[in-house]
């Protein structure tokens, strides 16, 4: 296996000891009614690291509350402005307290108490300008590869995804895990039929059983809904069954032992390979588990992902707020059409211009470059997509976390 030496990494040190590869100011709205004011504030800083996140719902949800707290204290976030309407049920004070306790600058604007839209926008811009100046003066410090968290997702898959981009990411994951990084793959709804393959790779028998139960939960959820994670675009791209798509998605995980299962907002307990369970627990009540790829990217970021590797055959142009997205294109024809949006042409494997190992090592090198400040294509194009909706999860059992912190 090719494994070229990586350059030294650097990041921004946070009070909890973690390091971020970006120094973002997040503007976080706590209800859809504060979305416009928040967006106006962000729009005043084009091309700068000021990103919009938020939860649209008025009524409280433990999942959304936890997600917002994890996102606002992500290692890539240096400061947070919280924008509330004032009468929503979301616990904005609880969010502010968590961010303040993390050592980050934080400020809350409540529109109903702040003379409305114009004043709130002006005050928000003033605070973000102050926070941005403070963060711009912060210097990067040395960062180890074992401090990096890398995630992967596939979207717009076609018949080339499972033979080029996905296994190339699997090669990259194996190299990153061997170097001490934490790597997270998903999604249980797209791994139906692969549960016993994953069970054999589990670090403990208890974890293996938990993985099977996790995928069975996903299969039940989709059965009740009456559809699976299989889109018309997948069929148009040459995929024939859910199982075929699942095997391709599974290839992204590589061959390393699986260290644990995460649920959205759980943090990896050290380096290793982790499976993210994105399907809600309990009764089927929230509709499609992930209404878009970006909803899942947000959950990966909430687990601490500094970077997300996004494989696509049909082509996807999205990025994300907070953490950079690196696009790995599976199909050479798609790459030719969408080269401006793609970071890696894994379709060269199909044409014989590169080997699986070469592309995997290229991905690892690009991860290091982006971690050190180079922009991915989606970043350079200004993509900052973000989606957060209602879900419900129960705490994971001890069998899901065989690795314990010292």
């Amino acid at each position: 296996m090719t494994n070229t030496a990586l350059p030294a990494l650097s990041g921004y040190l946070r009070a909890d000891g973690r390091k971020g590869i970006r120094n973002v100011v997040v503007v976080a709205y706590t209800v859809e009614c504060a979305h416009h004011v928040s967006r106006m504030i962000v729009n005043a800083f084009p091309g700068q690291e000021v990103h919009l996140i938020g939860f649209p719902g008025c009524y409280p949800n433990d999942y959304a509350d936890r997600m917002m707290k994890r996102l606002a204290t992500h290692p890539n976030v240096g400061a947070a402005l919280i924008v509330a309407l004032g009468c929503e049920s979301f616990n904005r004070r609880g969010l502010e307290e968590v961010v303040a306790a993390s050592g980050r600058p934080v400020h809350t604007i409540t529109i109903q108490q702040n003379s409305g839209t114009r004043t709130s926008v002006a005050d928000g811009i003033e605070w973000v300008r102050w926070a941005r100046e403070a963060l711009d003066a912060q210097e990067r410090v040395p960062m180890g590869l074992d401090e990096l968290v890398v995630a992967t997702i596939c979207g717009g898959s076609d018949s080339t995804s499972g033979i080029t981009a996905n296994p190339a990411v699997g090669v990259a994951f194996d190299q990153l895990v061997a170097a001490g990084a934490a790597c997270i793959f998903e999604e249980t709804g797209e791994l139906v039929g692969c549960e016993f393959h994953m069970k054999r790779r589990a670090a403990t028998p208890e974890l293996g059983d938990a993985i099977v139960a996790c995928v069975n939960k996903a299969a039940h959820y989709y059965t009740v809904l009456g559809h699976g994670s299989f889109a018309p675009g997948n069929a148009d791209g040459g995929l024939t069954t859910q199982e075929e798509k699942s095997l391709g998605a599974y290839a992204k995980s590589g061959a390393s032992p699986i260290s644990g299962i995460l649920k959205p907002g759980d943090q990896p307990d050290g380096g290793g390979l982790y499976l993210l369970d994105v399907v809600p627990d309990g009764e089927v009540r929230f509709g499609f588990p992930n209404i878009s790829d970006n909803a899942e990217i947000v959950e990966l970021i909430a687990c601490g992902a500094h970077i997300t590797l996004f494989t696509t055959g049909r082509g996807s142009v999205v990025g994300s707020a907070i953490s950079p997205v690196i696009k790995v294109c599976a199909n050479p024809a798609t790459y030719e059409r969408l080269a401006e949006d793609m970071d890696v042409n894994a379709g060269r494997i199909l044409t014989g211009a590169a080997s699986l190992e070469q592309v995997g090592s290229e991905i690892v090198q690009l991860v290091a470059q982006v971690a050190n400040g180079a922009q991915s294509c989606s970043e350079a194009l200004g993509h900052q997509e973000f989606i957060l909706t209602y879900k419900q999860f129960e705490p994971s059992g001890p069998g899901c976390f065989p690795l314990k912190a010292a």
Side-chain angles (χ1 to χ4, degrees):
M1 178 183 294
T2 304
N3 193 352
T4 308
L6 293 174
L9 303 184
S10 65
Y12 298 98
L13 180 63
R14 307 304 178 196
D16 63 2
R18 295 186 298 169
K19 293 166 187 168
I21 64 169
R22 297 292 184 268
N23 218 3
V24 173
V25 176
V26 291
V27 178
Y29 58 90
T30 59
V31 67
E32 185 62 25
C33 307
H35 189 161
H36 176 73
V37 168
S38 301
R39 185 173 295 281
M40 292 289 286
I41 295 168
V42 171
N43 287 348
F45 300 90
Q48 300 185 52
E49 287 190 308
V50 180
H51 293 187
L52 181 66
I53 69 171
F55 176 58
C58 182
Y59 296 100
N61 175 250
D62 289 341
Y63 159 81
D65 183 75
R66 185 180 190 218
M67 291 284 288
M68 288 288 281
K69 289 174 179 175
R70 292 295 197 192
L71 293 164
T73 58
H74 187 279
N76 288 355
V77 172
L81 174 66
I82 300 167
V83 183
L85 176 62
C87 56
E88 68 270 30
S89 298
F90 188 93
N91 184 3
R92 60 186 181 276
R93 295 304 174 198
L95 176 59
E96 182 182 51
E97 289 169 1
V98 167
V99 178
S102 76
R104 291 166 174 78
V106 61
H107 179 62
T108 298
I109 291 175
T110 304
I111 298 168
Q112 291 173 343
Q113 300 171 11
N114 203 51
S115 302
T117 297
R118 292 186 189 276
T119 302
S120 297
V121 170
D123 289 353
I125 290 172
E126 181 180 3
W127 189 88
V128 170
R129 185 176 291 117
W130 168 83
R132 191 65 269 156
E133 290 175 356
L135 294 181
D136 288 342
Q138 188 176 353
E139 295 184 356
R140 297 175 76 105
V141 301
M143 178 178 178
L145 194 60
D146 60 351
E147 298 177 277
L148 196 64
V149 183
V150 182
T152 187
I153 180 175
C154 49
S157 298
D158 70 6
S159 58
T160 69
S161 297
I163 55 178
T164 61
N166 289 357
V169 166
V171 169
F173 260 29
D174 287 342
Q175 292 187 20
L176 290 165
V177 168
C183 292
I184 308 171
F185 72 106
E186 46 61 53
E187 114 187 53
T188 48
E190 291 188 354
L191 292 169
V192 175
C194 300
E195 56 269 34
F196 291 100
H197 297 301
M198 291 187 288
K199 179 177 181 178
R200 287 193 292 269
R201 294 169 56 194
T204 67
E206 293 80 11
L207 176 60
D209 291 339
I211 289 171
V212 173
C214 183
V215 177
N216 286 342
K217 178 186 70 169
H220 171 72
Y221 205 100
Y222 284 120
T223 298
V224 173
L225 289 176
H227 56 74
S229 182
F230 194 91
N234 298 143
D236 291 343
L239 290 172
T240 60
T241 63
Q242 175 70 62
E243 289 78 5
E244 185 180 22
K245 183 181 179 182
S246 293
L247 285 169
Y250 173 68
K252 301 195 308 298
S253 67
S256 302
I258 299 174
S259 299
I261 299 174
L262 305 176
K263 292 183 180 181
D266 288 340
Q267 306 290 303
D269 193 7
L273 179 66
Y274 296 83
L275 168 65
L276 176 62
D277 174 13
V278 301
V279 176
D281 292 323
E283 298 177 12
V284 179
R285 67 182 76 169
F286 295 103
F288 198 76
N290 276 33
I291 59 174
S292 81
D293 295 321
N294 279 93
E296 199 161 337
I297 292 174
V298 168
E299 292 177 327
L300 290 164
I301 295 171
C303 292
H306 294 94
I307 293 171
T308 298
L309 304 175
F310 191 129
T311 67
T312 183
R314 300 276 293 174
S316 173
V317 301
V318 300
S320 75
I322 300 177
S323 294
V325 169
I326 292 174
K327 290 287 178 37
V328 183
C329 186
N331 191 318
T334 302
Y335 183 86
E336 185 175 348
R337 288 195 309 272
L338 299 174
E340 189 178 58
D341 289 274
M342 301 295 144
D343 297 280
V344 178
N345 180 9
R348 290 177 296 142
I349 299 167
L350 201 64
T351 63
S355 69
L356 194 61
E357 290 73 20
Q358 287 172 329
V359 175
S361 293
E362 178 183 334
I363 293 168
V364 173
Q365 290 290 327
L366 186 55
V367 165
Q369 293 167 19
V370 172
N372 278 335
Q375 285 193 320
S376 69
C377 289
S378 62
E379 279 188 292
L381 291 167
H383 284 281
Q384 295 179 15
E385 287 84 350
F386 183 93
I387 299 174
L388 179 61
T389 56
Y390 286 95
K391 281 188 180 182
Q392 191 66 46
F393 288 92
E394 302 298 330
S396 296
C400 294
F401 298 96
L403 298 180
K404 302 298 179 183

